[in-house]
Amino acid sequence: MIDTQITKKPKTIAEIHAEHKKTVGQPFCKDAKFSTRNVDVFYGDKQAIFDVSLDVGKHEVVALIGPSGCGKSTYLRCLNRMNDTIDICRVTGQLMLDGEDIYKKSQDPVLLRARVGMVFQKPNPFPKSIYDNVAYGPRIHGLTTNKAELDEVVELSLTRAGLFDEVKDRLHEPGTGLSGGQQQRLCIARTIAVQPEVILMDEPASALDPIATAKIEELIHELKENYTIVIVTHSMQQAARVSQRTAYFHLGKLIEVGDTNQVFTNPAHELTEKYITGRFG
Amino acid sequence: MNTGTIVLFLLIFAGFNYFIKHRKIYAVYRVNRKKQSNKMTLPKYFGYVASMWSLIPALLVLLVIEIIDEPLLKSNITNYVHAENIEIGQDLDLYLNDIKNIKTDNIKDVDPIKLKVHEHYQNFETLISKAKTIIVISLAVLMTIFGFKKVTINTPARVYFEKVIEIILLLAATIAILTTVGIVLSVLFESLRFFGEVPILDFMFGTEWSPQTAIRSDQVGSSAAFGAVPLFVGTMLISAVALFVSVPLGLMSAIFLSEYASSKFRSFAKPVLEILAGIPTVVYGFFAALTVAPFIRELGTSMGLSVASESALAAGVVMGIMIIPFVSSLADDVISAVPNAMREGSLGLGATKSETIIKVLIPAALPGIVGGVLLAASRAIGETMIVVMAAGLAANLTVNPLEAVTTVTVQIVTLLTGDQEFDSAKTLAAFALGLMLFVTTLILNVIALHVVRKYREQYD
Amino acid sequence: MWSENTENSMISKISNTEKVKKSLKSRYLKEKIFKFVGLSSIFVAFFFLLILLSDVMMKAFPAFIQTKVELELDLSEENTGVSAKSDIKEIKDVDYRKIIREALSAEFPEVKKRAEKKTMFSIISTGAEFQLRDMIVDNPQLIGSKQKIELVADDNFDALAKGQIDLTGEQKRFDDLTINLYKELDEKGKVNKSFNWQFFKTGDSREPEQAGIKGAVIGSLYTILVTLLLSFPVAVAAAIYLEEFAPKNRFIDFIEININNLAAVPSIVFGLLGLAVFINFFSLPRSAPLVGGIVLSLMTLPTIIIAARSAIKAVPPSLREAALGLGASKMQTVFHHVFPAALPGILTGTIIGMAQALGETAPLLMIGMVAFIVDIPQAITDPATVLPVQVFLWSDSPERGFLEKTSAAILILILFLIAMNALAIYLRKKFEKKW
């Protein structure tokens, strides 16, 4: 009698997670920009990412969602090797950008980061002028040959980030003097000034108010014409609004990947469903 | 009775008062503890308060007497000497010292007039000593009785006790202020006397420094002898050499340690740098004078340059080496204070580490670094032993680091070591130099500490 | 180069990647140079430390060796005028210098001229007669016969025996006679070298071979003791007040500004304070460890206060709340819980402050601790000197014998400092708590 009671009891989330082996949905796509296979990430002895395989298609916006501490940011930081800056972090598995292994010895992280830009959770403008913030990337990479070209790149980047009209009269004032939302758009402008192929965004709107968030989302919409974007977000609404595909992470495992609409309306996996419906988070 | 014995008596009174008060209250306490449910102050606090009554007023009075008795003695003897029309023929302080140190066991060698003064001195000293004993002991007895009566079971003993302790703690904290006031008064007072003899403008802007000639009576206070400009220039020259060595080396060490080094290398290198900081300055002075200076001299000679054997370069370089750990740890602090987001922002755009450091971290940390450099400059200006041992005494007005120069601190030491009368312009000049040194370093420190604090607040 | 057109954009992207690639070589070179400059600046510092320490050690080593000359001394009763049973006072009054000189003359009968004799006598230290006297006072049975006794050699002879004098070349500053005497004695096996215990047993002296560091070590110990007794309680009290009791007002801000500034005031200024206030105003004795200790404690106070405050700050508020929640008063909380928890940190800071005080020289010069003092101080009011000042004094002496003494004194000073710092590190490691 006791036995039957136990079998009838619904599985806990931890049990479902422990049993989960293979990602549900369509993690792969044909024309992949990024293709990653069996990625494990360790911090010292602790494993943070378990066997994640996922493709990101060209000119696609992929949202990574999941409860906090699920490894979505860690996975994102593998894609341009930002994890290299943490001594104890170790990445195994295969990560390819345009069919090239980004963790191979001959791969230059500097070149990789010039191709795969990143926008961070908290706006982090340098303590320099707005102009110098945007010009920083082109300058270090030697992308422009003269001042006129550089001016053009700065103006165009700021325009694309939807910031130019707001700051055109004070380009030489410190970037730290802008509002939070403007700072984040400045950081996006700074990233696209290098003209990367992919932009990684790590919860870009989490520190911003709703109006600034709306502007950032609008910006993502425009950017996806030219760029491949991977965005980590804790807001499901935001994922639904900006992305074509959504990947759901849970405690280091990739549970489900699919068309955004399908994931939010008809999740295939029990955990995804519980998360979407707000049973935990 | 001497002071030690008096203090011993006071302690005995205090212990006695503690003991009987504690016993008395404890008797009540034992009974009450069983009856009353509410908590009661422990008996020991009543004992403490009672013993404080015996101890503190008497100790304060004793302290006051101890402070005034020397000046009192001095003025009494001075009055006596004047009243008796005794020719002292030397500096008053030295004369008083002679009087005090007369040993009565071989009277025959002593000048009889001095002996008379000595007798007077001894009589007066005995009088003070007796008065001290009577006043302090009777006060202690009175206060012991008063305190015993005053402290009853209704006294909030713990609150009183803790209030007194808090006041004692506060007094300890104000010693910092007293020290500063003491420094300011001692250098200012003597400096003013000096400026009474030598015009301040001659001191500040005169270009010739030769205090030794001022000993001759016809030249006392001669303005030509106390022009401090060569000292200021010499100090700045050596400090500049030191900063020229220590700032780049210290800054680069800090950058390497905080941004590049593995944690293993760091845990080895940091203590080694700390050793460099812990070596006494006199050792650096020895090293500079006996090893570095001859080396630089020979090196210069082999290149056809004439280098003084006590060149500013040798002292400056060694001082620079000494300051490296200081600069390095300050720079390490300010660079670590730059938020990680800055590093990631730059690396995320594809900057290399050195580009990130040069173009983002250093500009961001610049105010802090400037503050650190100012503090290092203040250290270099005030550093004494290295320059005393390795820099010269000759007050040359030059900015050539291969020549010998002298510094403010060297001159202070030279003017004040050895026996000389305290009132001469020569010794007073040392205090005037001390005043300059104190004011300069104070300004540098205040600016630097302010800049560094503002910088920290920016990223907190 | 920038275009909204996708095709053009693709081309420009490729060219962008190419541009980045092209720039990489020189950028990585710069990176390497930068890293190399960083590493080398650390190694420059290391290199200097190594040179400094090995220089001092190499110079110090000979100081621990003492050269002695074995002489056959005529201690017969006729020659000394006393017997083994004589009164100690009489034995003390014997003219030992004469005995030593006679022994030297007997050793070298060929030396006849007055001037040459003077040179010959000077190979034995002027202190040897006192050494001999003390030896015989302790062992009166030596009187009555001829004894072979080793006597301390003069510093010049000592340098000769240690091979520090260049005997070849034209610049030799030594007279031939001394060199010949040395060679003769050496061939007879009468020049002996042994460990220099005397260096640790005596005070300062004008003669390098007799100078020891005991006086300076004792002086340092007294001074540090005074410093510790004054600065530790005051610093702890001040730190506790500022961290736990101080209200937020201008007066407290002023105290804090003062403490931070005092930490950066040059040490020599504290010496001026000591001279003007403690010696001239309060008439405390010059050159005494008492005044030295007071001055050094004022100097180290800010260091200890700052260290103690950060140790107290590191005690978690939960500990205070726990005690206060049980009805302990603020004072009880601080003295029963916070202070014991912060004690290891405070002790570490105190030891570092004491190490700083132990190595300090400049302020002590101001208060007269630079005097030449032979006697070993017996109390904190006796005239004394301290180790670093002894280093300064010896380094200033022209005799070459003092060079090695200076280095040896430095070595001993550094050993003391290492011991103190090791203790501090041990305390920090042992009691390090992660709250």
Side-chain angles (χ1 to χ4, degrees):
Chain A
M1 192 177 145
I2 294 164
D3 281 345
T4 52
Q5 254 185 352
I6 285 172
T7 47
K8 272 183 187 170
K9 195 178 154 196
K11 284 187 203 167
T12 63
I13 287 161
E15 279 164 354
I16 304 171
H17 175 255
E19 282 168 19
H20 175 82
K21 287 279 181 296
K22 197 173 175 303
T23 306
V24 182
Q26 305 95 38
F28 309 127
C29 57
K30 265 191 229 153
D31 191 19
K33 185 80 186 165
F34 266 115
S35 97
T36 65
R37 298 289 179 272
N38 314 102
V39 176
D40 290 329
V41 180
F42 302 86
Y43 287 112
D45 300 331
K46 242 189 94 201
Q47 189 164 3
I49 299 276
F50 298 85
D51 194 29
V52 169
S53 300
L54 177 67
D55 281 354
V56 179
K58 280 198 175 108
H59 297 268
E60 184 182 43
V61 179
V62 174
L64 312 182
I65 60 168
S68 48
C70 66
K72 51 195 191 307
S73 286
T74 304
Y75 175 76
L76 187 77
R77 290 165 64 97
C78 293
L79 297 180
N80 71 343
R81 293 183 55 174
M82 277 307 280
N83 281 332
D84 288 14
T85 58
I86 302 163
D87 283 341
I88 54 165
C89 183
R90 197 158 50 81
V91 179
T92 63
Q94 201 181 35
L95 294 98
M96 314 275 256
L97 173 64
D98 287 337
E100 246 182 295
D101 186 352
I102 58 175
Y103 274 84
K104 72 182 177 202
K105 266 227 170 83
S106 61
Q107 175 62 52
D108 186 337
V110 169
L111 183 60
L112 174 69
R113 290 178 198 145
R115 293 172 65 194
V116 183
M118 187 158 189
V119 177
F120 297 85
Q121 186 170 0
K122 259 175 74 185
N124 57 352
F126 302 133
K128 297 169 180 284
S129 71
I130 295 169
Y131 182 93
D132 286 339
N133 261 287
V134 182
Y136 181 77
R139 273 185 182 142
I140 57 169
H141 293 302
L143 298 184
T144 54
T145 47
N146 56 43
K147 179 86 170 66
E149 251 181 87
L150 188 61
D151 287 349
E152 193 194 331
V153 171
V154 170
E155 185 182 332
L156 208 49
S157 306
L158 283 170
T159 312
R160 282 194 162 186
L163 193 62
F164 188 70
D165 289 336
E166 290 164 57
V167 300
K168 63 182 174 210
D169 300 326
R170 44 176 176 148
L171 282 178
H172 294 283
E173 282 169 35
T176 42
L178 297 173
S179 75
Q182 287 173 323
Q183 284 190 9
Q184 193 61 299
R185 278 182 283 148
L186 176 62
C187 291
I188 292 173
R190 189 174 72 184
T191 306
I192 56 185
V194 187
Q195 253 202 323
E197 296 153 45
V198 184
I199 301 178
L200 310 176
M201 296 187 172
D202 189 356
E203 304 195 23
S206 69
L208 306 180
D209 60 78
I211 295 171
T213 304
K215 280 202 172 156
I216 299 282
E217 285 177 11
E218 210 175 290
L219 181 56
I220 295 171
H221 254 297
E222 286 164 21
L223 289 174
K224 77 176 172 205
E225 303 296 320
N226 293 311
Y227 302 96
T228 306
I229 294 174
V230 185
I231 177 168
V232 165
T233 174
H234 64 274
S235 150
M236 281 174 278
Q237 291 83 350
Q238 186 171 69
R241 284 194 294 266
V242 301
S243 70
Q244 281 121 40
R245 281 205 305 152
T246 297
Y248 173 68
F249 280 73
H250 188 104
L251 287 176
K253 288 180 181 172
L254 179 54
I255 306 294
E256 177 172 356
V257 186
D259 182 71
T260 298
N261 266 335
Q262 173 260 311
V263 169
F264 281 101
T265 52
N266 185 19
H269 196 280
E270 208 181 338
L271 275 178
T272 319
E273 190 201 335
K274 284 190 168 138
Y275 180 69
I276 303 278
T277 51
R279 227 75 70 74
F280 63 89
Chain B
M1 245 191 272
N2 65 20
T3 313
T5 329
I6 295 177
V7 171
L8 193 69
F9 263 90
L10 296 186
L11 287 175
I12 291 171
F13 285 138
F16 174 73
N17 217 5
Y18 172 83
F19 182 70
I20 50 174
K21 191 89 242 171
H22 182 268
R23 262 183 82 132
K24 221 169 157 169
I25 298 286
Y26 187 67
V28 187
Y29 177 75
R30 241 174 53 182
V31 180
N32 281 10
R33 193 172 48 178
K34 284 179 188 149
K35 284 195 297 200
Q36 290 179 334
S37 57
N38 56 338
K39 301 286 177 285
M40 184 196 153
T41 307
L42 292 175
K44 66 177 181 184
Y45 287 109
F46 296 91
Y48 289 151
V49 174
S51 58
M52 277 171 172
W53 275 109
S54 327
L55 203 58
I56 292 174
L59 267 184
L60 286 179
V61 170
L62 181 65
L63 187 71
V64 171
I65 295 177
E66 286 294 327
I67 290 174
I68 61 165
D69 76 340
E70 267 305 323
L72 217 59
L73 263 174
K74 202 164 149 181
S75 76
N76 183 280
I77 301 178
T78 320
N79 284 342
Y80 179 76
V81 168
H82 285 303
E84 301 280 310
N85 272 326
I86 293 167
E87 197 59 48
I88 53 171
Q90 67 188 70
D91 179 68
L92 187 68
D93 282 316
L94 286 180
Y95 183 75
L96 294 179
N97 228 15
D98 278 359
I99 298 293
K100 280 185 207 169
N101 293 333
I102 290 173
K103 298 259 188 320
T104 33
D105 47 346
N106 49 350
I107 300 174
K108 50 187 185 292
D109 315 339
V110 186
D111 174 11
I113 302 177
K114 278 194 177 178
L115 202 63
K116 204 172 80 179
V117 181
H118 177 70
E119 228 160 71
H120 176 82
Y121 158 78
Q122 282 211 314
N123 289 342
F124 191 71
E125 198 190 28
T126 327
L127 182 74
I128 289 188
S129 171
K130 270 184 190 154
K132 180 170 78 180
T133 311
I134 292 168
I135 294 174
V136 174
I137 296 288
S138 51
L139 182 71
V141 172
L142 273 176
M143 282 299 154
T144 302
I145 297 166
F146 177 74
F148 185 77
K149 290 224 162 134
K150 179 104 180 158
V151 179
T152 66
I153 190 77
N154 295 322
T155 310
R158 208 205 68 238
V159 176
Y160 282 180
F161 172 72
E162 293 187 346
K163 199 73 215 163
V164 172
I165 296 291
E166 197 178 323
I167 289 169
I168 292 173
L169 295 182
L170 171 64
L171 288 179
T174 50
I175 284 188
I177 293 181
L178 290 183
T179 309
T180 308
V181 170
I183 289 174
V184 170
L185 285 186
S186 53
V187 292
L188 196 64
F189 185 62
E190 309 294 349
S191 300
L192 288 179
R193 286 171 68 189
F194 176 73
F195 292 134
E197 290 181 35
V198 178
I200 184 164
L201 290 178
D202 290 356
F203 173 75
M204 297 281 286
F205 301 109
T207 55
E208 198 180 318
W209 177 267
S210 50
Q212 301 305 333
T213 60
I215 282 180
R216 292 207 324 259
S217 55
D218 57 322
Q219 269 196 334
V220 166
S222 135
S223 58
F226 285 106
V229 169
L231 312 191
F232 299 151
V233 173
T235 306
M236 284 196 276
L237 176 63
I238 291 184
S239 305
V241 174
L243 291 181
F244 199 73
V245 171
S246 61
V247 170
L249 286 176
L251 192 59
M252 285 309 293
S253 313
I255 288 171
F256 185 83
L257 284 179
S258 65
E259 302 291 325
Y260 284 105
S262 65
S263 59
K264 217 172 167 186
F265 182 77
R266 202 162 36 231
S267 65
F268 158 76
K270 275 200 170 175
V272 175
L273 281 183
E274 275 173 36
I275 295 180
L276 211 54
I279 289 178
T281 52
V282 70
V283 178
Y284 281 105
F286 177 73
F287 182 63
L290 272 94
T291 309
V292 178
F295 176 75
I296 288 181
R297 193 181 146 84
E298 268 173 40
L299 196 71
T301 316
S302 72
M303 293 191 308
L305 295 167
S306 86
V307 182
S309 58
E310 293 179 319
S311 63
L313 188 62
V317 165
V318 174
M319 196 191 284
I321 298 292
M322 186 193 79
I323 304 178
I324 287 177
F326 185 70
V327 175
S328 160
S329 86
L330 285 172
D332 196 359
D333 281 357
V334 294
I335 291 174
S336 314
V338 178
N340 218 19
M342 295 289 153
R343 273 179 205 89
E344 297 206 321
S346 173
L347 292 174
L349 287 171
T352 62
K353 252 184 175 176
S354 59
E355 284 161 355
T356 304
I357 293 163
I358 296 170
K359 296 198 171 132
V360 177
L361 296 190
I362 292 184
L366 200 60
I369 293 172
V370 169
V373 171
L374 288 183
L375 281 179
S378 151
R379 286 262 320 232
I381 290 171
E383 171 49 42
T384 308
M385 291 322 290
I386 294 177
V387 281
V388 166
M389 294 165 86
L393 286 172
N396 297 326
L397 185 55
T398 173
V399 287
N400 178 0
L402 301 180
E403 281 182 44
V405 294
T406 191
T407 72
V408 172
T409 48
V410 171
Q411 290 303 321
I412 294 178
V413 170
T414 318
L415 294 173
L416 285 181
T417 47
D419 290 325
Q420 53 238 326
E421 31 200 320
F422 194 66
D423 282 341
S424 76
K426 228 177 99 178
T427 36
L428 293 178
F431 282 91
L433 289 175
L435 178 68
M436 293 295 139
L437 184 63
F438 179 70
V439 170
T440 314
T441 52
L442 184 74
I443 293 172
L444 282 175
N445 295 341
V446 169
I447 296 175
L449 292 172
H450 180 77
V451 168
V452 171
R453 199 176 59 219
K454 277 271 166 297
Y455 166 75
R456 288 261 165 77
E457 281 167 4
Q458 179 195 334
Y459 289 125
D460 269 348
Chain C
M1 57 164 272
W2 260 61
S3 154
E4 296 293 315
N5 180 303
T6 322
E7 249 168 69
N8 280 349
S9 166
M10 283 307 290
I11 293 161
S12 95
K13 258 177 215 162
I14 289 162
S15 72
N16 253 358
T17 312
E18 287 307 310
K19 277 182 191 165
V20 176
K21 265 189 187 156
K22 244 190 232 161
S23 73
L24 278 178
K25 205 176 157 194
S26 72
R27 287 166 67 192
Y28 273 120
L29 185 67
K30 276 185 205 153
E31 172 83 15
K32 260 188 195 154
I33 294 171
F34 188 75
K35 197 172 167 182
F36 176 75
V37 170
L39 186 63
S40 26
S41 41
I42 291 181
F43 276 102
V44 167
F46 284 6
F47 174 74
F48 262 90
L49 182 66
L50 194 72
I51 295 281
L52 193 154
L53 290 181
S54 54
D55 183 48
V56 167
M57 265 195 244
M58 258 147 58
K59 282 183 181 146
F61 184 66
F64 298 109
I65 304 291
Q66 191 175 38
T67 307
K68 288 183 172 178
V69 178
E70 187 187 296
L71 287 177
E72 192 168 25
L73 300 173
D74 182 7
L75 295 175
S76 62
E77 287 180 14
E78 311 83 75
N79 200 27
T80 56
V82 292
S83 74
K85 294 186 182 71
S86 295
D87 191 50
I88 293 287
K89 199 166 183 326
E90 281 175 44
I91 296 181
K92 272 190 181 170
D93 284 343
V94 172
D95 188 353
Y96 292 104
R97 183 186 302 182
K98 196 190 83 192
I99 295 173
I100 294 172
R101 291 190 168 181
E102 282 167 3
L104 276 168
S105 299
E107 189 74 44
F108 300 109
E110 70 276 12
V111 179
K112 289 267 160 35
K113 283 187 202 144
R114 242 184 118 82
E116 285 182 352
K117 276 205 158 182
K118 207 177 159 196
T119 312
M120 176 180 75
F121 292 151
S122 73
I123 67 173
I124 298 293
S125 162
T126 52
E129 52 196 271
F130 305 108
Q131 177 208 350
L132 182 62
R133 182 192 68 193
D134 294 345
M135 185 191 270
I136 290 178
V137 168
D138 289 344
N139 311 293
Q141 72 276 10
L142 291 173
I143 297 173
S145 59
K146 289 196 171 185
Q147 298 284 350
K148 280 187 179 169
I149 289 176
E150 290 185 345
L151 295 171
V152 177
D154 186 67
D155 57 321
N156 285 330
F157 191 83
D158 181 60
L160 209 54
K162 285 170 184 166
Q164 293 165 340
I165 311 277
D166 184 16
L167 293 179
T168 58
E170 288 163 22
Q171 278 187 321
K172 64 177 182 186
R173 286 175 307 175
F174 267 63
D175 53 306
D176 294 332
L177 182 63
T178 313
I179 295 169
N180 289 336
L181 292 179
Y182 164 69
K183 282 182 180 159
E184 209 178 320
L185 282 168
D186 196 31
E187 272 164 28
K188 288 186 199 160
K190 292 192 169 178
V191 178
N192 297 317
K193 284 178 226 160
S194 58
F195 188 76
N196 190 355
W197 288 111
Q198 198 186 359
F199 183 61
F200 298 97
K201 287 180 186 164
T202 58
D204 197 5
S205 168
R206 297 277 186 218
E207 302 297 328
E209 75 275 8
Q210 294 166 37
I213 52 154
K214 189 174 173 193
V217 170
I218 302 289
S220 269
L221 288 183
Y222 280 139
T223 310
I224 291 300
L225 194 70
V226 173
T227 310
L228 180 66
L229 290 181
L230 289 176
S231 61
F232 180 70
V234 174
V236 169
I240 288 179
Y241 184 77
L242 292 176
E243 276 306 313
E244 301 286 334
F245 295 99
K248 269 228 162 295
N249 61 31
R250 288 210 172 161
F251 181 66
I252 300 299
D253 284 347
F254 185 59
I255 291 180
E256 299 203 354
I257 291 171
N258 265 292
I259 290 172
N260 288 333
N261 275 326
L262 282 178
V265 165
S267 60
I268 192 169
V269 173
F270 286 94
L272 291 175
L273 169 76
L275 176 61
V277 173
F278 298 113
I279 293 189
N280 287 327
F281 188 73
F282 287 123
S283 301
L284 292 176
R286 269 179 88 88
S287 312
L290 175 65
V291 183
I294 295 175
V295 169
L296 290 183
S297 62
L298 290 181
M299 196 193 82
T300 49
L301 260 183
T303 315
I304 307 180
I305 292 178
I306 291 169
R309 287 187 68 176
S310 60
I312 292 171
K313 221 179 247 167
V315 176
S318 60
L319 193 68
R320 294 180 183 83
E321 282 158 10
L324 291 172
L326 289 172
S329 70
K330 180 90 192 167
M331 194 67 72
Q332 286 166 332
T333 306
V334 169
F335 281 94
H336 296 169
H337 302 285
V338 178
F339 176 62
L343 192 58
I346 297 176
L347 285 181
T348 310
T350 307
I351 294 170
I352 288 168
M354 289 303 112
Q356 187 191 336
L358 181 65
E360 195 54 69
T361 320
L364 302 180
L365 301 183
M366 301 290 95
I367 55 156
M369 289 191 99
V370 70
F372 171 71
I373 291 148
V374 178
D375 295 329
I376 288 159
Q378 304 294 328
I380 56 168
T381 46
D382 284 352
T385 190
V386 293
L387 267 175
V389 177
Q390 188 72 75
V391 169
F392 171 63
L393 280 172
W394 282 347
S395 74
D396 229 17
S397 307
E399 291 90 347
R400 65 161 297 136
F402 276 122
L403 178 66
E404 56 188 48
K405 301 278 169 186
T406 313
S407 306
I410 288 177
L411 204 60
I412 284 158
L413 178 60
I414 289 180
L415 284 180
F416 273 113
L417 291 177
I418 289 176
M420 290 172 84
N421 280 299
L423 183 65
I425 291 169
Y426 171 78
L427 274 177
R428 187 159 55 197
K429 285 257 150 62
K430 175 151 190 196
F431 294 101
E432 197 170 48
K433 276 188 202 140
K434 293 267 185 284
W435 295 102

